[in-house]
Amino acid sequence: MIGIYRDYESMSRAGADLFADISLQAIKERGVFCTALSGGTTPRLAYSMLASEPLRSMVAWDKVQVFWGDERCVPLGSPMSNEGMARETLLSRVPLKESNIHPIRCAQSPEKSAAEYGTELTDFFAGDPVFDLVLLGLGENGHTASLFPGSPALQEKKHFTASVFASGVYRVTITSRVINRARHAVFLVSGVSKARILKEVIEGGYEPNRLPAQLIKPVGELHWLADSEAASLLEKTKKSVSGGS
Ligand code: 6PG
């Protein structure tokens, strides 16, 4: 499903609403909501909206378990830290216990850190991880989480996590095997700089080695939320725009 929204704010509002709705459904059905957060800059506003009323009171934060889809191996205080960004915009502002937060920590080598996070996922889910919601972004080169074009991590079908070196930094990422077992995978895509790649990923031929975001085909629902700038080059997709500014 592709939702096209007038601007960044209305796309963020739709993303935050979807997070809250999926959490309500998961908690009603299974008593817990497990999510993997994305990093980068795009989700900042959606996270802030979740930390503000009315959504803050809609989500049963004591039943939320927070993981990450990927992390850059940088200190927590670095502006590049995905954990740091999520703590600043969301996690420090809602009643979520520290024991419900499962960050990717690069305390050891990237390889060992990836293996350790894989073990944490296996232990928590008692087997293959099944997230209720994996939030994702789209890089201008077609990457998502830290699944970058041409990376060996794209071929990783056995393990839940992988370490990669990309854009000048070591990273740990969950693999497409994990993302594709999710009940919902939600991409948030904003800005004219993403227009060309969004068109290639959604409307172009299947080239996952060059366009890793195409690997994401969850057993559950796939949602693309884009603002009108990011969606401006789409031709084959229905383009009704929703959301006020
Ligand atoms: C990361 C990400 C990454 C991100 C995209 C989009 O840690 O780098 O999780 O996959 O979502 O690069 O980033 P922006 O939202 O900053 O454009």
Side-chain angles (χ1 to χ4, degrees):
M1 189 210 88
I2 303 181
I4 300 172
Y5 298 85
R6 181 171 301 172
D7 52 21
Y8 174 60
E9 188 178 340
S10 50
M11 183 208 65
S12 301
R13 172 62 61 194
D17 285 347
L18 192 54
F19 182 107
D21 286 347
I22 295 170
S23 80
L24 287 173
Q25 187 188 347
I27 291 166
K28 189 171 148 207
E29 290 173 7
R30 289 173 297 281
V32 62
F33 169 60
C34 301
T35 186
L37 300 180
S38 56
T41 54
T42 308
R44 289 188 74 100
L45 183 56
Y47 291 169
S48 298
M49 287 172 167
L50 279 164
S52 311
E53 298 301 346
L55 295 180
R56 185 178 185 278
S57 298
M58 265 179 67
V59 175
W61 294 102
D62 58 326
K63 298 187 173 64
V64 176
Q65 298 283 344
V66 174
F67 294 79
W68 272 262
D70 73 325
E71 183 57 280
R72 298 95 178 254
C73 292
V74 296
L76 182 54
S78 160
M80 286 181 66
S81 165
N82 288 341
E83 178 188 349
M85 186 277 278
R87 283 189 184 275
E88 175 202 328
T89 53
L90 172 61
L91 306 179
S92 63
R93 300 169 55 198
V94 294
L96 184 63
K97 279 188 291 183
E98 193 58 35
S99 55
N100 290 20
I101 301 175
H102 310 268
I104 300 174
R105 289 275 165 80
C106 293
Q108 311 173 66
S109 68
E111 295 78 14
K112 281 190 180 157
S113 303
E116 192 172 79
Y117 205 60
T119 304
E120 180 162 357
L121 291 174
T122 313
D123 291 349
F124 180 86
F125 287 95
D128 272 32
V130 179
F131 283 106
D132 296 301
L133 167 60
V134 178
L135 281 172
L136 296 164
L138 178 66
E140 288 174 31
N141 61 359
H143 80 266
T144 191
S146 282
L147 300 170
F148 282 81
S151 165
L154 303 183
Q155 314 305 330
E156 182 56 72
K157 302 282 185 272
K158 186 168 165 231
H159 295 106
F160 300 148
T161 56
S163 61
V164 296
F165 184 79
S167 298
V169 68
Y170 282 100
R171 297 157 178 258
V172 171
T173 187
I174 60 173
T175 57
S176 61
R177 172 177 173 173
V178 175
I179 301 171
N180 285 338
R181 289 182 61 82
R183 295 188 173 91
H184 297 268
V186 177
F187 280 89
L188 299 180
V189 191
S190 169
V192 72
S193 68
K194 303 286 175 70
R196 185 194 55 81
I197 197 68
L198 184 65
K199 178 181 171 56
E200 287 197 77
V201 169
I202 290 189
E203 297 184 342
Y206 187 61
E207 294 179 74
N209 200 45
R210 186 174 72 84
L211 303 168
Q214 290 184 333
L215 285 172
I216 308 311
K217 294 169 183 261
V219 292
E221 289 181 46
L222 175 62
H223 313 251
W224 285 91
L225 274 53
D227 65 16
S228 53
E229 287 190 355
S232 57
L233 295 179
L234 295 180
E235 289 169 322
K236 302 177 192 164
T237 311
K238 191 172 149 269
K239 303 240 295 205
S240 70
V241 177
S242 36
S245 53

